[in-house]
Amino acid sequence: DAGVIQSPRHEVTEMGQEVTLRCKPISGHNSLFWYRQTMMRGLELLIYFNNNVPIDDSGMPEDRFSAKMPNASFSTLKIQPSEPRDSAVYFCASSLDTAYGYTFGSGTRLTVV
Amino acid sequence: LAKTTQPISMDSYEGQEVNITCSHNNIATNDYITWYQQFPSQGPRFIIQGYKTKVTNEVASLFIPADRKSSTLSLPRVSLSDTAVYYCLVGDGGANNLFFGTGTRLTVIP
């Protein structure tokens, strides 16, 4: 199993540009989570999906952020327009049964200049 | 949402047993206790989960007293590669399990 796959690993973009982060969960997992990690705020849950349906997006910072899960094997997190304060590491995680915990991807390090 | 409290940091020498305690005074009946490990530049990795008493796997042991208001992650004979941040989460498997605290930064010293 290749695990949770995120792309790109690193992204540098200019303020105001659109950024799209991608995630492929582990095959068979039915829940998918997007987290953001910064030194100041630690790990924050942005949104999570169950069976491709968004369940809780209360962690999404503002309307500039949107997430989609068109099918069980793919999800995107989009920031438009990006701002320097969005610079962080964005993690995607998936799970089948939370009794066994979540499997995280390697993250995307986003830098907005 | 059960809040957790952990020490911010700990140091240990190689070969020592390390115990990291997490307080969760308002844990609910349906809540499980889960620990994750995070290395720099990597996502958190599931270590162990338990509900009560003791759970052991190839990586660690988890001790949970009868009142379940705290839990202790025990790492036997740590090595330099165990240097990481360790997070304690408490929840029932729904949204309550999805919030990480500040974690405990463990530094293993040669």
Side-chain angles (χ1 to χ4, degrees), chain B residues 3-6 21-25 69-71 88 90:
Chain B
K3 180 181 176 180
T4 60
T5 303
Q6 305 174 234
T21 297
C22 179
S23 298
H24 28 81
N25 291 320
K69 293 184 182 300
S70 67
S71 59
C88 164
V90 173

Side-chain angles (χ1 to χ4, degrees), chain A residues 87-102:
Chain A
S87 297
V89 180
Y90 290 81
F91 288 105
C92 175
S94 71
S95 72
L96 171 60
D97 181 344
T98 55
Y100 300 101
Y102 313 123

